[in-house]
Amino acid sequence: MDEETERGAEHSDREDEGPARTIRRQVKTAPRTGDVAPPPEREPDQEVDRGRGVDPERERRLEPVTDDADRSERAFAEPRSTVADDPDPAVGSSLPARPRRRGRGPITGSLAPYAGVLTVVCLLLVVAIIALVVVVIGARQPNIVASTDPQVVDSFDRSDADSLGDAPDLGPWEAIGAWGIVGGTAYLREPPSGDPRGFALLPGEHERVRIAATLRGLDGNGGLVARYQDPGDHLALYPVPTAGTWRISIVVDGEEVVSQDVGLVDTDDGARAELVVNDATAFALIDGQVRGRIPVDPAPDTGRAGVTASLEAGGSTRFDEVALETP
């Protein structure tokens, strides 16, 4: 082999050693022992989920194999919260677990749709309670049915007249004002001069007495009287239709010094009223039941008994089956 051929072969060997020398040079420039090499870059899908502390790649390896239908459903499933409800103890989490909510919440939440109905029911209950209290207070007196009704002394079952005439077995009525009879009932035709109220009195004066009558047309301010001395001194029982009650009153020297309502009592047409007066107390009975009482101390000691009415309401109350009882 000549000299030129040997030089060509040597040059070719040097070119073949070029890559090897490059590799050896890179090895020599590698970091020394003790230096920390940077970690290899991860693919985006291999990033650790910092919110849960779980490697998604590890979870995918643990998931069971699903078919295409399951994958489709999972693709449209609701996304998971980034806060773990029950963190995996094997993986751990730096975030506290969210507390579980127990129960169904406040009861008011479930009753909210019925708030209007409940309000109406409560109002009705309040009204019913108030009405019950009024009735109980109004009927303070026991419902004692009178043992006997006083004897009827005049039923006015005679012809219509411009006067009352005589009460059978008792004698003539004394009229304060002009009274008459119509349709078997007594009524006030015209009040006395200077006084809107008229009186029709039975004979005799009594300290203790029971006077009763059936009243029709209660708007005519009709009632019963006892211990009558004059228009300004007597004891009376009369209805108050506008208030749905009856009232016991004592009039002295023209002034009503004592009065008491007997509570809520029907003031219907045809009510049977009775005024009972004894030594110390006056009782009001409506349809046979005791409804009220007052002391009679301010009233006159004795007097006549009868009926009373006025024309202030445009007409007179009419009276039937007047009864009287004395000891």
Side-chain angles (χ1 to χ4, degrees):
M1 183 180 299
D2 55 10
E3 182 179 356
E4 186 175 350
T5 302
E6 292 178 357
R7 289 177 181 177
E10 182 179 358
H11 178 71
S12 177
D13 294 338
R14 290 177 180 176
E15 288 180 353
D16 294 338
E17 293 177 358
R21 290 179 180 178
T22 301
I23 294 173
R24 287 195 296 271
R25 190 178 298 113
Q26 291 177 355
V27 172
K28 289 180 181 181
T29 60
R32 295 186 301 273
T33 304
D35 293 340
V36 178
E41 295 183 0
R42 292 178 178 268
E43 293 297 330
D45 59 346
Q46 294 179 348
E47 288 289 340
V48 177
D49 186 349
R50 301 183 185 276
R52 300 178 60 194
V54 179
D55 187 351
E57 182 64 22
R58 179 176 180 274
E59 287 189 342
R60 282 196 295 272
R61 289 197 302 270
L62 297 177
E63 289 179 354
V65 178
T66 58
D67 54 15
D68 293 339
D70 291 338
R71 291 194 183 96
S72 176
E73 292 178 1
R74 295 172 68 88
F76 290 95
E78 183 179 353
R80 296 182 180 180
S81 173
T82 57
V83 179
D85 291 338
D86 294 312
D88 187 354
V91 177
S93 174
S94 60
L95 298 177
R98 182 174 59 189
R100 287 186 178 275
R101 185 175 180 180
R102 302 181 182 277
R104 296 184 178 179
I107 190 170
T108 54
S110 61
L111 296 179
Y114 308 100
V117 177
L118 292 176
T119 301
V120 173
V121 172
C122 290
L123 290 176
L124 291 176
L125 288 175
V126 171
V127 172
I129 292 173
I130 293 175
L132 180 62
V133 170
V134 171
V135 171
V136 171
I137 294 176
R140 293 180 299 274
Q141 308 302 331
N143 293 334
I144 303 174
V145 179
S147 57
T148 58
D149 194 57
Q151 181 181 0
V152 174
V153 295
D154 202 342
S155 59
F156 306 103
D157 54 352
R158 46 191 180 269
S159 300
D160 295 352
D162 293 338
S163 64
L164 296 180
D166 294 347
D169 302 328
L170 287 180
W173 285 86
E174 180 181 352
I176 311 298
W179 287 73
I181 298 175
V182 61
T185 59
Y187 73 102
L188 175 67
R189 295 192 298 111
E190 185 178 349
S193 177
D195 194 337
R197 182 168 291 278
F199 299 85
L201 307 170
L202 290 166
E205 291 193 359
H206 314 281
E207 178 184 2
R208 305 178 63 182
V209 66
R210 293 177 65 186
I211 179 72
T214 299
L215 282 66
R216 307 186 188 280
L218 300 183
D219 291 338
N221 298 320
L224 308 174
V225 294
R227 294 193 181 183
Y228 177 90
Q229 293 292 326
D230 54 58
D233 294 278
H234 60 271
L235 191 152
L237 169 65
Y238 56 90
V240 186
T242 56
T245 187
W246 292 68
R247 181 172 298 163
I248 313 174
S249 71
I250 297 176
V251 179
V252 177
D253 294 333
E255 297 291 336
E256 190 175 61
V257 295
V258 177
S259 68
Q260 180 175 316
D261 293 349
V262 300
L264 294 178
V265 182
D266 289 338
T267 55
D268 297 335
D269 189 61
R272 184 71 176 173
E274 182 177 346
L275 178 61
V276 180
V277 182
N278 60 23
D279 296 336
T281 308
F283 298 87
L285 284 78
I286 308 299
D287 292 327
Q289 297 181 335
V290 177
R291 292 298 188 179
R293 67 184 73 186
I294 61 172
V296 296
D297 183 44
D301 295 335
T302 188
R304 303 175 72 173
V307 297
T308 180
S310 76
L311 301 181
E312 293 177 325
S316 169
T317 297
R318 293 176 291 118
F319 302 88
D320 192 10
E321 296 181 340
V322 175
L324 179 69
E325 183 178 303
T326 59

